Structures are given as C-alpha cells and as structure tokens.
Amino acid sequence: MTTTPADVERDRMLSPSRIYFEPAAAELPRGQQVLARFPGATRVEVASHWQIPELHGDETNVRRWVRIKREALVLGIKKSLTARPNGRSADFIAPSTANGCAMACAYCYVPRHKGYSNPITVFANIDRITGYLARHIGRQGPKPEPNQCDPDAWVYDIGENSDCSVDALVSDNVADLVGLFARQPTAKASFATKYVNRGLLDLAPRGRTRVRFSLMPARAAKLLDLRTSPIPERLRALDDFVEAGYEVHVNLSPVVVYPGWLDDWAELLTDLGDATGEATKAQLAAEVIMLTHNRALHEVNLGWHPKAEQVLWRPDLQETKRSEGGGINVRYRAGQKRVLLDELLDLVAERAPYLRIRYAF
C-alpha cells in the first residue's frame, strides 16, 4: 500500500492503539471508514462515547494527558441535533461532527466537557447531521441584514468542540461539511484552527467556508500551544487558503498578558503583514479574545504542564466570572481588561491597519 503525505501527517499527530466504538457507529459507512484508516488499532466496544472511565473523568490520567490524545480514538453517534444561536463569532453553532482534540493547548476549554484528556470522538452519523443542517439553512431564508458575523450569509460554526483541520485527518466529515456549504448561497461554514492541514486545499469551498487561523506570539505559542502547527507555518498558509477558495480570517486568541506581551504582539503583527499578499489582506478580518481560564483546568495543568500556569493563572490580574454555560471561570479584571484590550487594538491599528476587527472581548 502506498503511503501518502496525508498518511504521514496523520500518523505524526494521531496513531491510535485503541479505538472505542459504539456498535451503531461502527456499522455506518463513516465509522467503517475510520476503522479502516487505523487497521492496527485494538477495537473496544462501549455503550456510550460519553462514558469511557479509562478516558474520561479519571484524574490519574493527567500524567498521560498528551499520550491519550495520540493513542486513543472514539467513534460515536451524535444523538441531539441542534443549531444553537450564537451571534458573536457565528450566527449559529452547528451540531458537532466531532469533539475532543489531538492537540494539547494549555488553556483549552474542551476538556471540561468530558473531563481530563478528552481525545477525538468522531460522530459517524454524518449524513443525518448534514441533512439537519441543510434543512436548518433552508428555513432561515436569505439573511435580512448585515451583522458582525457576516454582511450577507448566515454563518455556522462547525468546530465548536474540536479542531476541524485535525478532524479532517481522521475522517471525511469536514470534507462533507465543506461540500455542503459550497452549495448554500445563503450560508457559510466557519471554524477556528491551530493546525495547518494542507489536505483541505484540495477541497472546493467556493468561498463558503471561513477558516479562522488562531494566532498568538510565537514565544507564547511554544509554551501554550502544544502539538499545534508553529506560528510561522500558520502565517505561511494564509495566502494558500485564500487562493484555494476559502475565506480566511484570523483569531488573535487567546491574548495572554505577561512581561513583554505587547512587544511580542508587535512582532507578530509585522510578520502577519509580511506573510500575506494583497488578496489576503483585502478580505482579512480578526476576532480578538482575551484569555479566559478555569480553576479546574488550572489544577489539571499543574499535574502535567505547570510552566504554562505561570502565565495563565494570574490572581494578581484576574477575577472570577460566570460563563454563559454557568461555569465559574477567571478572566482579567474588568477595568484592567479594557485597558489591556485597548492597548492591543491600538497596536493592531498601527502595525496592521488593513486588519478589520470583527469583535473584541
């Protein structure tokens, strides 16, 4: 069997020795596709992708945080299909076609859902999910007026609980979603990513998928963005994705405050300008998101990556807040956060005046 560049890249990121599967998921074509891509993995039948004690909710797994992400994969069925209104980054949050992640960003909120490492779960009932989305889009009709999500199209975030660029290494779910939205004149898909998957360049998005490359200064990314594509690689990809027919935005996210943080952002914004051509700059926009952290994740990180907490956990700068989902998180103190955010926005205006800010918080 010929080994392709995609195979090599997938094996570097994900080489599962165990695939946990719901029987119904393994019977579907997408489930069979995933199993076939990893023929050497041991298959473990489970009743529910939510209840796998050796993966989820076991604090002793902290020692194996990254290893679990590389070595475990889950196949499940997405049972509840809902497009939730959002209004900030997207008009709607689409039903997930995956959750969990093979990357290991120290600030990530996804582990809060299932507990601890939370490797990738692929949902095999993709036909049901895309059918639901097509009907939901049809019911909306044309967008009546512009908003911060998009001036013309309804925007659906398809990657709230995973990174679609990595998911696309595992199954064709993301390709199916890109194909679905390419046929929708009134809607766009959108997802944020920290991983450059050049296999996505072979798809045909026709301007109906927005890829938001997350950026932070390289010095911070080396500490916090584990198992992700390096920042210079993300910058080099921007023009290529525009040329391939994607709408490309950037997420300046999360903005983490540490000594010298503004100098590092100034360097990154200069590099962004140097890396992009006029076609990219003409359509580029940004979301700016200050760090939100979580005490439970702080305790987890102390067990596997304590150096990250030296910059993420700053009681001298932070206060507690209740999230929209009801959880208790920490953020930079409200008055100080506004000052810090304005400093960064002023820097963007100076160093990257072409970069339209869609929203900042």
Side-chain angles (χ1 to χ4, degrees):
M1 182 181 295
T2 303
T3 299
T4 68
D7 294 331
V8 173
E9 186 60 23
R10 184 174 64 239
D11 291 346
R12 184 186 71 82
M13 176 62 66
L14 185 69
S15 184
S17 58
R18 301 173 314 287
I19 298 179
Y20 301 86
F21 68 93
E22 295 178 359
E27 293 173 0
L28 291 172
R30 187 50 41 85
Q32 293 171 10
Q33 178 195 55
V34 173
L35 292 171
R37 283 188 175 176
F38 304 100
T42 299
R43 300 179 184 183
V44 182
E45 183 175 326
V46 295
S48 170
H49 69 88
W50 279 104
Q51 298 174 8
I52 307 176
E54 62 194 89
L55 296 184
H56 306 142
D58 182 357
E59 64 184 15
T60 63
N61 281 337
V62 170
R63 299 190 305 271
R64 300 166 53 235
W65 184 270
V66 174
R67 184 175 174 181
I68 288 174
K69 287 174 170 289
R70 176 176 170 78
E71 295 183 352
L73 185 64
V74 183
L75 268 176
I77 297 291
K78 180 69 174 178
K79 297 175 178 64
S80 175
L81 301 185
T82 304
R84 303 191 334 265
N86 179 254
R88 194 174 255 173
S89 178
D91 294 293
F92 300 100
I93 306 298
S96 298
T97 59
N99 69 36
C101 190
M103 297 184 288
C105 301
Y107 47 81
C108 182
Y109 65 86
V110 171
R112 302 173 202 168
H113 289 233
K114 290 185 176 179
Y116 300 97
S117 189
N118 198 9
I120 294 174
T121 295
V122 179
F123 295 127
N125 54 329
I126 182 64
D127 290 345
R128 185 163 176 255
I129 296 170
T130 54
Y132 169 86
L133 277 172
R135 293 189 297 274
H136 190 277
I137 293 167
R139 288 196 298 271
Q140 307 314 307
K143 195 169 193 175
E145 58 185 11
N147 63 8
Q148 69 177 23
C149 303
D150 194 83
D152 303 306
W154 297 107
V155 179
Y156 289 74
D157 193 314
I158 61 172
E160 181 189 33
N161 294 319
S162 65
D163 189 304
C164 289
S165 296
V166 179
D167 296 342
L169 296 174
V170 182
S171 83
D172 289 347
N173 281 359
V174 175
D176 287 349
L177 289 168
V178 172
L180 168 69
F181 280 91
R183 302 187 296 271
Q184 305 299 323
T186 61
K188 289 180 182 177
S190 177
F191 65 89
T193 185
K194 301 179 184 69
Y195 184 75
V196 178
N197 180 352
R198 291 190 169 273
L200 296 177
L201 297 174
D202 296 331
L203 305 180
R206 300 175 183 170
R208 310 310 294 179
T209 292
R210 174 185 295 163
V211 182
R212 299 161 9 241
F213 283 94
S214 293
L215 301 177
M216 67 166 59
R219 179 159 69 112
K222 287 178 181 178
L223 177 66
L224 303 176
D225 276 8
L226 277 66
R227 307 197 82 222
T228 66
S229 296
I231 296 298
E233 185 178 351
R234 299 182 213 176
L235 293 173
R236 288 194 297 270
L238 300 179
D239 280 1
D240 294 338
F241 273 75
V242 170
E243 185 177 354
Y246 291 91
E247 182 181 34
V248 173
H249 288 186
V250 292
N251 282 6
L252 309 184
S253 166
V255 178
V256 181
V257 177
Y258 54 86
W261 70 286
L262 272 179
D263 291 336
D264 287 354
W265 275 101
E267 181 178 352
L268 173 60
L269 291 167
T270 298
D271 291 344
L272 174 63
D274 292 342
T276 50
E278 291 307 312
T280 297
K281 288 184 174 71
Q283 54 89 78
L284 202 61
E287 302 173 10
V288 184
I289 305 169
M290 300 290 287
L291 172 71
T292 297
H293 200 25
N294 175 276
R295 177 174 287 278
L297 184 58
H298 166 64
E299 297 296 334
V300 168
N301 285 349
L302 290 177
W304 77 281
H305 191 23
K307 287 185 178 179
E309 290 307 299
Q310 295 175 13
V311 298
L312 294 177
W313 191 256
R314 294 288 306 276
D316 57 317
L317 296 177
Q318 293 166 335
E319 63 183 3
T320 60
K321 63 164 285 190
R322 184 173 295 276
S323 70
E324 293 179 359
I328 302 297
N329 299 323
V330 296
R331 66 178 180 189
Y332 297 117
R333 293 193 187 103
Q336 192 168 20
K337 176 184 174 182
R338 186 69 253 175
V339 173
L340 297 168
L341 184 56
D342 284 345
E343 288 179 330
L344 180 58
L345 294 177
D346 288 344
L347 188 63
V348 172
E350 174 190 337
R351 294 296 181 101
Y354 55 86
L355 185 58
R356 176 173 59 89
I357 305 298
R358 286 185 49 237
Y359 73 90
F361 76 97

